[in-house]
Amino acid sequence: MIRRQTVLITGGSGFIGTNLVRLLVQSGEYRVVNLDALTYAANPLSLADLDGNQNYVFVKGNIMDRELVSSLFTKYEPVGLFHLAAESHVDRSIVNAEDFIQTNVVGTYSMLEAARAYWNALPVERKSTFRFLHVSTDEVFGSLGEEGYFSEVTSYAPNSPYAASKAASDHFVRAFHHTYGLPTVITNCSNNYGPYQFPEKMIPLMILNALSGKPLPVYGNGSNVRDWIYVEDHCGAVKLAFEKGKLGEAYAIGANNEQKNINLVNQICSILDDIAPPVEIPQLRERGLKSYSELIRFVADRPGHDRRYAIDSAKVTRQLGWQAEVGFEAGLRRTIEWYLSNPKWVEHASSGSYEDWIEKNYAWREERVEKESK
Ligand code: NAD
Ligand code: DAU
């Protein structure tokens, strides 16, 4: 029997973290220690199936708590770290960037220092195999016009406070490799979708709003483009980058799947029309709703809204042999079915401060569009 290696993951109770923890534990190769502060974006139900699993340890705590992080390194002696913990929603960073600077910049710096102290003290053979895998985003590269792709050689040009905080964290990771030799690898991925995504993000927000007959708020004229990847494909690439990525390098990850926002919302509506027709939902039938697309509303745009993201993932394919496996139509259907089948998870995610956020982010947009159209 192969002995499992222990890895530390931060932010393992969020959207991508949940999918990554499950992939690592189910691979049979790893025991996972998940450090997560359980902010609003985490859902304790997401990993409930791993409760009691001897290959999964949950630790509630903040990545900025250096003493705690150092004690986890000492106690569990991980062979490496997957760093995902972050504030991740662009619109929230526009309202208030403070938490983004704290967690994404200061928190990443703190993780780097704790990892460096642990790594420095490792015996030579373990030192050479240790990895600090930093999960980042394509938003650090800014915005594309009609043509071109982001890749590992694209210059950084972050436009939102969120993107700026992730860019800063990438720079610190790079600097810790260059200056101290810390064995780091960075991944810069495009928009993820799939199960367990908090419904402040576009795809789950549209699914859940549609099912409860609420407006589907499309920013601007809906022509902004995002390059969507199924979350399990992203997690597969992150695992490979951890295991085989070249030290000090970055990997751009995407599934070659550009979608205009308005087309994507229409696709969600059409799948929902098929699997949960409004005529079969009493309160929607009473309102005479025939298709979910009738709920689409164009609302005031996101300030500084990046126009287009698209990834050239040739390097990760060439060097690591990675390729996306899930087609968009199948992945979107699977995602919608997952939200329909998990009402308890949805209820937990949409309770607490969620309604306050929805009010804060959408009330002014609708008012502004109404005023503009008068
Ligand atoms: P998420 O918001 O769903 O989850 C973030 C997790 O981090 C939550 O569980 C939260 O509790 C935890 N967390 C936040 N602050 C913390 C702190 N100070 N200490 C400990 N834990 C903390 O985010 P996600 O969408 O899963 O993204 C995960 C990572 O992947 C982020 O670094 C993000 O920048 C990056 N990323 C996301 C996407 C995407 O499309 N979602 C794409 C590319 C990269
Ligand atoms: O590209 C990777 C990034 O993708 C990650 O780094 C971020 O963590 C993740 O949140 C995501 O950022 P986006 O801003 O692209 O994702 P979001 O789901 O918020 O929005 C997707 C697109 O949909 C974007 O063009 C804005 C638009 N949108 C979003 C919301 C929430 C709407 O039109 N209406 C909405 O209500």
Side-chain angles (χ1 to χ4, degrees), residues 81-289:
L81 164 79
F82 293 86
H83 177 42
L84 284 82
E87 289 293 331
S88 69
H89 191 33
V90 173
D91 292 321
R92 287 190 193 245
S93 80
I94 293 168
V95 172
N96 186 349
E98 179 66 32
D99 289 347
F100 291 74
I101 295 162
Q102 288 306 323
T103 288
N104 301 3
V105 186
V106 181
T108 298
Y109 165 70
S110 193
M111 288 304 303
L112 284 163
E113 285 292 21
R116 183 164 76 99
Y118 168 72
W119 173 74
N120 265 332
L122 284 175
V124 176
E125 65 286 359
R126 296 202 55 207
K127 212 171 170 179
S128 65
T129 53
F130 183 81
R131 293 290 176 273
F132 186 116
L133 189 287
H134 176 60
V135 175
S136 192
T137 169
D138 61 352
E139 299 204 14
V140 298
F141 303 124
S143 183
L144 291 165
E146 293 304 306
E147 313 246 304
Y149 296 90
F150 295 138
S151 77
E152 297 77 8
V153 296
T154 307
S155 303
Y156 275 52
N159 287 323
S160 70
Y162 161 69
S165 69
K166 290 297 290 188
S169 70
D170 290 12
H171 291 327
F172 273 103
V173 173
R174 181 193 151 91
F176 268 62
H177 174 72
H178 191 80
T179 306
Y180 307 113
L182 189 70
T184 62
V185 178
I186 298 177
T187 54
N188 295 97
C189 188
S190 63
N191 287 62
N192 284 223
Y193 71 100
Y196 304 101
Q197 187 167 31
F198 189 76
E200 65 191 350
K201 305 284 166 59
M202 198 249 234
I203 290 184
L205 180 109
M206 297 297 172
I207 298 169
L208 300 181
N209 274 20
L211 289 169
S212 48
K214 293 181 183 156
L216 308 182
V218 176
Y219 295 168
N221 62 10
S223 64
N224 299 67
V225 173
R226 293 293 181 267
D227 188 355
W228 293 93
I229 180 170
Y230 193 67
V231 62
E232 289 175 8
D233 276 335
H234 177 201
C235 291
V238 167
K239 180 171 178 282
L240 266 182
F242 177 83
E243 291 166 346
K244 296 185 182 159
K246 287 200 181 158
L247 299 188
E249 296 210 3
Y251 293 88
I253 300 165
N256 199 16
N257 174 42
E258 290 180 56
Q259 303 283 339
K260 263 190 190 161
N261 288 342
I262 185 61
N263 295 349
L264 171 50
V265 175
N266 273 312
Q267 286 177 73
I268 293 171
C269 291
S270 128
I271 297 174
L272 277 172
D273 285 345
D274 184 30
I275 59 183
V279 288
E280 288 177 13
I281 299 180
Q283 69 272 30
L284 302 185
R285 187 177 53 232
E286 278 161 26
R287 283 169 51 184
L289 201 75

Side-chain angles (χ1 to χ4, degrees), residues 260-333:
K260 263 190 190 161
N261 288 342
I262 185 61
N263 295 349
L264 171 50
V265 175
N266 273 312
Q267 286 177 73
I268 293 171
C269 291
S270 128
I271 297 174
L272 277 172
D273 285 345
D274 184 30
I275 59 183
V279 288
E280 288 177 13
I281 299 180
Q283 69 272 30
L284 302 185
R285 187 177 53 232
E286 278 161 26
R287 283 169 51 184
L289 201 75
K290 301 253 171 351
S291 164
Y292 291 101
S293 58
E294 293 163 40
L295 297 169
I296 294 174
R297 301 286 178 276
F298 292 96
V299 300
D301 208 352
R302 170 184 282 175
H305 197 174
D306 283 337
R307 179 106 213 107
R308 172 173 167 256
Y309 301 152
I311 291 272
D312 171 359
S313 46
K315 177 178 171 182
V316 68
T317 301
R318 194 178 56 246
Q319 272 193 16
L320 308 183
W322 175 85
Q323 258 182 321
E325 285 172 8
V326 181
F328 189 55
E329 160 78 26
L332 193 56
R333 198 168 266 270

